């Protein structure tokens, strides 16, 4: 599984304060159950879910994640809530 470019994603989200709440809600919704019991003690998406999302988006779980795609996904999530 490829890692999401976290530094670039955080930088992209810092420029979009309207997505901060959506990003936090999405992170908590996709975090593995009982995340607070495992190091590091921060919510992280379940690895199986993340693999599935990458495969459905790019066709291969080893594909590089594009930050703009993650931002577009969060914008879509925000639109679905309104």
């Amino acid at each position: 599984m490829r890692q999401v470019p976290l530094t670039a994603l955080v930088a992209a989200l810092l420029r979009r304060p309207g997505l901060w709440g959506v990003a936090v809600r999405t992170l908590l919704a996709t975090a593995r159950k009982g995340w607070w019991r495992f190091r590091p003690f921060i919510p992280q998406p379940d690895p199986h879910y993340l693999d599935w999302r990458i495969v459905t988006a790019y066709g291969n779980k080893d594909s590089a994640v594009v930050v703009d795609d993650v931002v577009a996904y969060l914008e879509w999530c925000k639109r679905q809530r309104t």
Side-chain angles (χ1 to χ4, degrees), residues 11-82:
L13 289 174
L14 285 175
R15 294 188 299 271
R16 295 171 178 86
L19 292 180
W20 294 356
V22 175
V24 169
R25 280 192 301 274
T26 302
L27 179 61
L28 291 174
T30 61
R32 65 181 176 171
K33 296 195 185 309
W35 60 264
W36 55 88
R37 292 181 284 196
F38 304 99
R39 291 181 192 261
F41 303 108
I42 56 173
Q44 297 180 16
D46 182 281
H48 299 294
Y49 172 76
L50 201 53
D51 281 348
W52 177 79
R53 289 298 307 166
I54 292 170
V55 168
T56 58
Y58 302 107
N60 183 343
K61 73 176 185 175
D62 296 321
S63 296
V65 177
V66 179
V67 171
D68 289 341
D69 292 344
V70 177
V71 171
Y73 172 71
L74 292 173
E75 289 171 343
W76 177 82
C77 289
K78 183 178 180 179
R79 284 192 307 272
Q80 296 308 307
R81 290 187 166 272
T82 58

